[in-house]
Amino acid sequence: PLASPCATVSYALTKAASGATIKVSGTINDHVSITQPVTITTWAGGPAGSPGVLDGTTTGTVVTVAGATGVTLSDLTIQRGALGLLNEEGTVTVTDSTITGNATTAEPYAGVWNYGGGTMTISDSTIAKNSGAPGGSQVGAGIFNTGTLTAVASTISGNSGGGIYSGQDETATLGATIVAGNTGANC
């Protein structure tokens, strides 16, 4: 059964059981912190009648996964934060999604930061037009990995400050993925 609509994903998470599915329709201005297993996806045919967009309104981190396992982000756009997606030691799957237009003047990462031994799988997704700190290390504005990363059938392109950075002794596995057209290093 469907629950009553909530104005933000953050509020929906306070009402959702572990393992729930939260469906998003239209643009939601929010900074989401996930601490339990959950699926967040576009609500096809939802009240706004449009794709699910999580918008950080040019500040903060749009989506933070704080140690949670079993998190799935599907068919979403994550945009306009200082950082789009931060995975702090959790397990996250991103599918059929776009992470774009995130920008920071303080750090090299802007699109995705897989941090502290986190595990992230990105498939059929686009990481594009994210901007890291100018004049910095010029690496990882698209994806900054200090954990275990797998990217399959995805595109990492048009990021200002590099495409993908993976830390020493960290694992990044790419398959059928385009990493091109980033300013700074592509990888």
Side-chain angles (χ1 to χ4, degrees), residues 32-35 63-69 71 73 85-92:
V32 179
S33 182
I34 301 170
T35 58
V63 178
T64 301
V65 177
T69 60
V71 175
L73 305 172
L85 171 59
L86 169 61
N87 177 30
E88 293 183 289
E89 302 179 3
T91 303
V92 180

Side-chain angles (χ1 to χ4, degrees), residues 95-163:
T95 61
D96 299 312
S97 294
T98 300
I99 300 174
T100 188
N102 300 287
T104 179
T105 58
E107 302 293 344
Y109 42 79
V112 174
W113 187 11
N114 187 40
Y115 173 74
T119 300
M120 183 176 292
T121 301
I122 299 171
S123 65
D124 297 309
S125 295
T126 300
I127 315 296
K129 300 180 183 173
N130 300 289
S131 299
S137 58
Q138 295 294 302
V139 295
I143 300 173
F144 196 94
N145 177 52
T146 58
T148 301
L149 171 74
T150 302
V152 178
S154 295
T155 300
I156 297 99
S157 182
N159 298 289
S160 179

